[in-house]
């Protein structure tokens, strides 16, 4: 099929025209023939059965009936309102058809005593069946149409339906489009791959996705098109990774020297887990090659990512390079500084901290030490990105919680050296494997999937608000043991629209139940000035207060080994990954820690699932998978990230196996023919090049 035809503006298609074309542009982002072609149905209605009127049941199922209209009348009701009522009969009985909108236009279009096929939901009132706003087609047209027994239902919006662009209109437009195209779809996949995976041809797949002849052919069409979509995305991501490794040279860290071996043999505070050892090996292999490393290190809260980062920095030092670690907040940067300084205290290594709060005199010393090479490791916030911060030879940049930094900010770190430094991105936000493969497929991924020995799993329980007195008693017992408590609220102030606990009200009642001087309370929320927030956090960190009342601002950051209980108010208000992050604030010491999920009695199904999941498991990856099923990829990754995928037919949750298969075959193909120059890959290469320049792959693989 000519690529030109797919580029035809949508208003030129029979049955669309300028006003409908404008609506389709605004509502469904359909600009050209190709966009409509790739509007895939949400679901299908089985229209293989025709009912007789005397067979109708009082159910919500949609039915189709063959019969004639024998009488039409307009009935007035309410103030200046009219409805159209038609008597529809077959040889077994009679039902009423009613219309409340478009009365004049519909009345003019109806034909008496002609045979129609009607379709819709029936209702039974006083023994009489009626059908409101039925889909109607003359029997002759019905027989002649391309429509199959499995009728597609397309994505729509309220505005489209209100303005008469119904599913029937889209269906008709799709038929006209197929008649114009005459089934000439270009085959996008190599023949050997189609034979291997028993995929149906492109022509057959496109026809059966819109007009399926049977359930079996529909399933084959869906599999073929889902595989194709995911396969091309994986080709893109893997190629990007290969090009980067090939083009962007890195500093080869070919030496494992004294700093690394001395620390590993004599100063490790505990035995590394097998997962940590595996990850260090993966990173060493990357940094030992001539290519620049770009690796994502995933590990749950407390899995020991910091020690891995330090050992990578020691490798850099052994090879004559400096390192930096960038964190999103001063609290987190401070924590890393204290943690790394403690770990490296017996080594001959220089570590400094640079944040917005660093004094000018101290900054001057840091800048000089960086430039003359006497400073080995610099830890900081966005302050690291300032132009004044110049390294003598930056070899490794570690970025913590990367989703909090923009791409431009990260690229500034690259420019701190003529040859870009190796980049290690760390996150404690578990990303489901399917999502990681689709979004970060161009990064290499390492996972620390076990906790250090001696850590006790956090006990998580669900309590209703009616159990509050027992919960408060438990908190007092824990404080009596010398422990500290977090209490987290979803809102700062009371909301008129949402019935959730709020921090200000909570703070007042907690102050009454935990009075001075026996107890003291810190309060932290997003409307406080940074300096006030910092001071309150530090009081809690130093153990001067027993209870920290906060909103989710403490989600990432505070490390207080003495805090053993996390109480989350109105748990139903939080997402799963957020609950998991909050829970990770406790369980950092050797003592048993607890997470108490407080809710009211009214809980939706999703809330119940979230709470059950939290009580059942501490595994961040298991939690992330459930979260993906509940919320879908867009919500988890945020707008910026989900736009990367823009999937038309595949679903990352349901089609996980197809994604794995697509990635496996994309890797195999690129290993064998990275440039896609073999004759059998010619067509695929052309499409791939065009597609790489555009956002939506479906404009090219149709």
């Amino acid at each position: 099929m000519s690529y030109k035809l797919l580029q035809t503006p949508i208003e030129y298609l029979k049955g669309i025209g300028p006003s409908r074309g404008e609506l389709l542009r605004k509502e469904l982002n359909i600009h050209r023939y190709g966009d409509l072609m790739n509007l895939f149905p949400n679901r299908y209605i089985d229209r293989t059965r025709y009912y007789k009127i005397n067979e109708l049941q009082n159910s919500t199922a949609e039915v189709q009936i063959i019969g004639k209209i024998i009488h039409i009348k307009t009935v007035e009701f309410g103030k200046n309102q009219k409805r159209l009522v038609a008597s529809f009969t077959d040889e077994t009985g009679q039902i009423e058809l009613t219309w409340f909108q478009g009365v004049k236009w519909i009345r003019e279009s109806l034909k008496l005593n002609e045979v129609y096929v009607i379709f819709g939901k029936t209702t039974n009132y006083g023994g009489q069946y009626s059908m409101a706003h039925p889909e109607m087609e003359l029997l002759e047209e019905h027989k002649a149409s391309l429509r199959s027994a499995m009728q597609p239902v397309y994505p729509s919006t309220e505005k489209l339906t209100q303005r008469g662009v119904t599913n029937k209109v889209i269906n008709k437009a799709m038929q006209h489009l197929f008649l114009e195209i005459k089934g000439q779809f270009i085959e996008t996949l190599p023949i050997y791959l189609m034979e291997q995976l028993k995929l149906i041809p492109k022509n057959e797949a496109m026809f059966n996705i819109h007009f399926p002849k049977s359930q079996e052919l529909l399933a084959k069409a869906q599999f073929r098109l889902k595989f194709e979509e995911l396969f091309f995305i994986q080709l893109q991501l893997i190629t990007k990774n290969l090009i980067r490794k090939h083009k962007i040279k890195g500093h080869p860290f070919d030496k494992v020297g004294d700093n690394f071996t001395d620390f590993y043999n004599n100063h490790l505070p505990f035995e590394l887990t097998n997962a940590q050892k595996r990850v260090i090996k993966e990173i060493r292999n990357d940094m030992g090659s001539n290519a620049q490393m770009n690796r994502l290190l995933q590990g749950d809260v407390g899995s020991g990512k910091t020690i891995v980062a330090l050992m990578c920095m020691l490798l850099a030092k052994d090879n004559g390079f400096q390192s930096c670690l960038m964190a999103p907040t001063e609290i987190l940067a401070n924590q890393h500084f204290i943690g790394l300084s403690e770990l490296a205290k017996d080594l001959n290594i220089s570590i400094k901290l640079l944040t917005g709060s660093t004094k000018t005199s101290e900054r001057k010393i840091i800048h000089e030490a960086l430039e003359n090479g006497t400073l080995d490791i610099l830890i900081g916030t966005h302050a690291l990105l300032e132009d004044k911060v110049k390294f003598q030879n930056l070899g490794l940049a570690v970025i913590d919680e990367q989703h909090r930094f923009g791409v431009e900010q990260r690229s500034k770190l690259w420019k701190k050296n003529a040859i870009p430094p190796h980049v290690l991105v760390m996150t404690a936000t578990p990303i489901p494997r399917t999502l990681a493969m689709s979004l970060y497929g161009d990064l290499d991924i390492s996972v620390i999937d076990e906790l250090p020995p001696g850590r006790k799993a956090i006990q998580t329980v669900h309590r209703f608000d009616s159990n509050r007195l027992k919960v408060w008693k438990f908190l007092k017992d824990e404080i009596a043991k010398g422990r500290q408590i977090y209490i987290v609220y979803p809102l700062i102030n009371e909301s008129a629209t949402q019935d959730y606990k709020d921090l200000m009200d909570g703070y007042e009642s907690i102050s009454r139940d935990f009075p001075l001087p026996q107890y003291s309370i810190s309060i932290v929320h997003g409307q406080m000035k940074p300096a006030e927030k910092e001071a309150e956090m530090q009081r809690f960190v130093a153990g001067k207060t027993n209870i920290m009342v906060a909103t989710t601002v403490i989600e990432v950051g505070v490390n207080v080994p003495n805090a053993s209980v996390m109480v989350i108010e109105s748990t139903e208000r939080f997402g799963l990954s957020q609950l998991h992050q909050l829970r990770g604030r406790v369980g950092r010491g050797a003592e048993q820690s607890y997470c108490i999920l407080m809710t009211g009695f009214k809980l939706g199904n999703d809330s119940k699932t979230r709470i059950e999941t939290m009580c059942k498991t501490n595994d961040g990856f298991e939690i992330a998978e459930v979260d993906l099923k509940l919320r879908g990829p867009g919500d988890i990754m945020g707008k910026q990230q989900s736009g990367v995928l823009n999937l038309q037919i595949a679903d990352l949750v349901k089609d996980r196996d197809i994604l794995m298969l697509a990635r496996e075959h994309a890797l195999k193909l690129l290993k064998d023919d990275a440039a896609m120059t073999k004759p059998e890959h010619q067509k695929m290469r052309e499409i791939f090049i065009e597609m790489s320049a555009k956002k939506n792959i479906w404009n090219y693989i149709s």
Side-chain angles (χ1 to χ4, degrees):
M1 171 200 22
S2 104
Y3 172 67
K4 250 185 179 170
L5 185 58
L6 282 185
Q7 296 303 306
T8 310
I10 195 66
E11 56 267 31
Y12 290 107
L13 185 62
K14 189 178 171 186
I16 298 297
S19 62
R20 281 178 173 173
E22 193 53 35
L23 260 179
L24 287 170
R25 275 192 177 84
K26 282 183 184 160
E27 295 296 299
L28 293 177
N29 208 15
I30 291 171
H31 296 261
R32 299 181 176 83
Y33 281 16
D35 300 326
L36 181 65
M37 179 61 66
N38 300 313
L39 178 73
F40 297 117
N42 283 334
R43 59 192 177 91
Y44 297 83
I45 296 164
D46 187 354
R47 291 187 62 166
T48 49
R49 169 133 195 230
Y50 298 91
Y51 285 79
K52 298 289 181 198
I53 290 171
N54 67 355
E55 292 176 325
L56 295 178
Q57 300 287 323
N58 207 354
S59 79
T60 57
E62 290 166 308
V63 295
Q64 64 184 350
I65 310 163
I66 299 173
K68 295 176 181 178
I69 292 173
I70 56 165
H71 184 255
I72 305 170
K73 63 180 177 183
T74 307
V75 179
E76 291 196 10
F77 70 101
K79 200 178 176 186
N80 300 327
Q81 287 182 300
K82 290 179 182 175
R83 74 168 179 264
L84 188 64
V85 180
S87 303
F88 186 83
T89 65
D90 69 2
E91 66 274 24
T92 68
Q94 181 172 315
I95 69 167
E96 274 191 348
L97 309 182
T98 55
W99 292 267
F100 297 93
Q101 288 164 341
V103 170
K104 186 174 177 290
W105 172 75
I106 290 166
R107 178 157 199 154
E108 286 167 9
S109 65
L110 293 178
K111 295 175 181 174
L112 287 172
N113 297 311
E114 293 275 356
V115 183
Y116 279 101
V117 177
I118 64 165
F119 177 79
K121 283 181 185 168
T122 57
T123 50
N124 187 315
Y125 186 71
Q128 167 77 44
Y129 279 101
S130 70
M131 189 185 282
H133 287 269
E135 276 188 33
M136 301 187 68
E137 209 170 15
L138 288 165
L139 182 62
E140 290 309 307
E141 284 178 16
H142 181 76
K143 284 178 179 169
S145 78
L146 273 173
R147 182 190 293 152
S148 62
M150 305 284 301
Q151 195 189 320
V153 178
Y154 290 96
S156 187
T157 67
E158 210 175 315
K159 204 167 187 182
L160 283 173
T161 314
Q162 280 171 356
R163 302 276 291 276
V165 184
T166 58
N167 195 59
K168 187 180 175 184
V169 169
I170 301 278
N171 223 308
K172 268 269 170 48
M174 202 65 84
Q175 291 183 43
H176 292 311
L177 184 53
F178 266 78
L179 291 170
E180 272 199 50
I181 283 166
K182 301 185 178 69
Q184 295 169 32
F185 290 96
I186 294 163
E187 189 49 74
T188 55
L189 297 173
I191 290 164
Y192 70 84
L193 188 59
M194 288 173 61
E195 285 172 355
Q196 218 175 328
L197 297 172
K198 298 187 170 62
L199 298 174
I200 62 173
K202 182 70 180 221
N203 272 338
E204 212 179 322
M206 288 305 280
F207 187 85
N208 280 286
I209 204 78
H210 292 292
F211 313 106
K213 290 179 178 167
S214 67
Q215 287 279 9
E216 189 192 354
L217 276 168
L218 173 61
K220 284 182 175 176
Q222 285 175 329
F223 183 83
R224 148 80 209 224
L225 295 171
K226 285 175 178 186
F227 175 84
E228 181 175 3
E229 180 168 52
L230 294 168
F231 177 72
F232 273 95
I233 285 171
Q234 290 304 319
L235 276 184
Q236 245 182 334
L237 289 167
I238 298 161
T239 305
K240 205 166 149 191
N241 193 345
L242 292 172
I243 288 170
R244 202 197 61 241
K245 284 181 177 171
H246 183 68
K247 276 192 177 172
I248 303 175
K249 294 284 171 258
H251 304 285
F253 292 2
D254 41 25
K255 201 160 74 177
V256 178
D258 297 342
N259 290 290
F260 185 92
T261 47
D262 177 34
F263 179 76
Y264 186 78
N265 294 328
N266 307 316
H267 304 296
L268 266 181
F270 46 77
E271 174 73 19
L272 292 180
T273 62
N274 288 329
Q276 284 172 311
K277 288 176 185 169
R278 183 188 71 242
V279 164
I280 290 169
K281 196 174 174 184
E282 287 168 356
I283 294 169
R284 264 181 57 187
N285 287 343
D286 273 5
M287 298 198 300
S289 75
N290 281 322
Q292 183 224 14
M293 173 176 82
N294 240 356
R295 192 168 275 278
L296 174 69
L297 174 59
Q298 283 185 263
D300 237 331
V301 173
S303 60
K305 295 186 294 296
T306 311
I307 205 160
V308 168
L310 174 65
M311 294 179 79
C312 298
M313 290 168 169
L314 294 176
L315 272 176
K317 163 92 171 147
D318 282 339
N319 286 275
F321 289 97
Q322 295 163 302
S323 303
C324 69
L325 189 158
M326 186 165 75
T329 64
E330 286 204 11
I331 292 167
L332 205 48
N334 257 306
Q335 233 167 259
H336 279 306
F337 177 65
I338 294 161
L340 290 174
S341 300
E342 176 60 29
L343 285 169
K345 65 178 187 287
D346 298 322
L347 303 174
N348 179 25
I349 195 158
S350 154
I351 305 177
K352 290 279 184 213
L353 175 70
L354 179 68
T355 68
S357 309
T358 308
K359 292 188 174 72
T360 312
S361 54
E362 179 65 11
R363 276 171 188 266
K364 206 168 170 230
I365 296 164
I366 289 172
H367 289 162
E368 278 173 18
L370 266 188
E371 288 190 52
N372 65 31
T374 54
L375 178 55
D376 302 307
I377 296 171
L378 180 61
I379 294 163
T381 53
H382 297 79
L384 297 186
L385 304 174
E386 290 169 5
D387 293 338
K388 286 177 285 193
V389 179
K390 293 187 174 73
F391 292 80
Q392 189 186 61
N393 54 352
L394 179 64
L396 171 67
V398 181
I399 300 169
D400 197 19
E401 291 303 334
Q402 79 115 27
H403 58 280
R404 299 194 168 218
F405 294 105
V407 178
E408 285 160 44
Q409 290 170 316
R410 297 201 302 275
S411 68
K412 277 188 180 176
L413 273 182
W414 278 44
K415 291 168 188 161
K416 296 281 180 186
N417 205 337
I419 293 179
H422 294 296
V423 176
L424 181 67
V425 167
M426 303 199 300
T427 181
T429 308
I431 303 160
R433 186 163 160 66
T434 44
L435 213 49
M437 273 169 39
S438 306
L439 287 165
Y440 298 112
D442 57 330
L443 287 183
D444 297 303
I445 298 174
S446 290
V447 179
I448 303 180
D449 48 12
E450 57 182 309
L451 286 177
R455 279 278 170 92
K456 290 183 179 142
I458 300 163
Q459 279 185 23
T460 304
V461 293
H462 173 214
R463 296 286 179 263
F464 291 108
D465 290 336
S466 53
N467 299 120
R468 190 168 297 280
L469 288 175
K470 282 185 182 170
V471 172
W472 268 201
K473 169 154 189 337
F474 175 71
L475 298 189
K476 285 175 178 172
D477 292 346
E478 282 294 297
I479 292 170
K481 292 181 200 167
R483 312 267 183 272
Q484 287 166 285
I485 316 287
Y486 291 106
I487 302 178
V488 177
Y489 288 86
L491 306 169
I492 297 175
N493 295 299
E494 191 179 353
S495 161
T497 54
Q498 294 176 311
D499 185 20
Y500 294 125
K501 296 277 178 289
D502 69 278
L503 180 134
M504 287 312 182
D505 185 45
Y507 178 67
E508 281 175 30
S509 63
I510 292 162
S511 302
R512 285 194 299 273
D513 295 335
F514 295 84
L516 285 162
Q518 192 179 353
Y519 304 100
S520 61
I521 303 167
S522 285
I523 183 166
V524 173
H525 58 76
Q527 287 176 7
M528 291 165 73
K529 291 193 173 86
E532 292 172 359
K533 243 191 308 196
E534 187 73 26
E536 283 291 283
M537 292 262 205
Q538 289 311 329
R539 282 177 64 211
F540 188 67
V541 171
K544 290 176 183 167
T545 56
N546 318 101
I547 298 172
M548 159 81 79
V549 176
T551 53
T552 54
V553 288
I554 56 132
E555 193 180 320
V556 171
V558 204
N559 184 15
V560 185
N562 193 40
S564 65
V565 185
M566 166 65 71
V567 178
I568 302 173
E569 294 283 3
S570 296
T571 301
E572 63 270 36
R573 177 76 165 76
F574 295 96
L576 247 182
S577 59
Q578 211 176 15
L579 289 172
H580 180 62
Q581 285 282 346
L582 286 168
R583 173 168 65 183
R585 298 297 110 218
V586 296
R588 292 171 162 249
E591 306 305 327
Q592 178 61 58
S593 287
Y594 306 89
C595 178
I596 302 169
L597 308 174
M598 302 292 294
T599 70
F601 278 105
K602 272 198 244 166
L603 291 176
N605 288 336
D606 282 4
S607 298
K608 283 179 188 162
T609 305
R610 287 198 292 268
I611 289 164
E612 280 164 17
T613 306
M614 285 291 293
C615 294
K616 187 182 77 181
T617 181
N618 277 291
D619 180 339
F621 289 95
E622 197 179 321
I623 284 165
E625 290 289 350
V626 176
D627 202 22
L628 181 62
K629 281 177 188 151
L630 288 176
R631 292 200 292 157
D635 288 336
I636 291 178
M637 302 317 298
K639 292 267 186 295
Q640 270 73 27
Q641 296 284 32
S642 62
V644 176
L645 289 178
N646 230 343
L647 294 173
Q648 301 284 103
I649 190 166
D651 178 310
L652 286 184
V653 181
K654 297 177 187 145
D655 302 322
R656 187 186 166 146
D657 294 347
I658 305 178
L659 172 62
M660 301 290 196
L661 189 70
R663 186 167 176 84
E664 180 195 321
H665 282 282
L667 279 164
K668 210 162 149 186
L669 187 147
L670 291 170
K671 198 176 175 185
D672 174 50
D673 182 18
M676 294 183 253
T677 49
K678 288 188 174 178
E680 61 268 34
H681 297 150
Q682 202 54 48
K683 191 73 238 165
M684 193 178 73
R685 183 170 190 266
E686 285 169 29
I687 289 159
F688 178 79
I689 290 166
E690 283 178 7
M691 181 190 103
S692 298
K694 299 281 178 185
K695 277 278 189 288
N696 185 356
I697 70 166
W698 281 99
N699 289 339
Y700 294 97
I701 60 178
S702 274

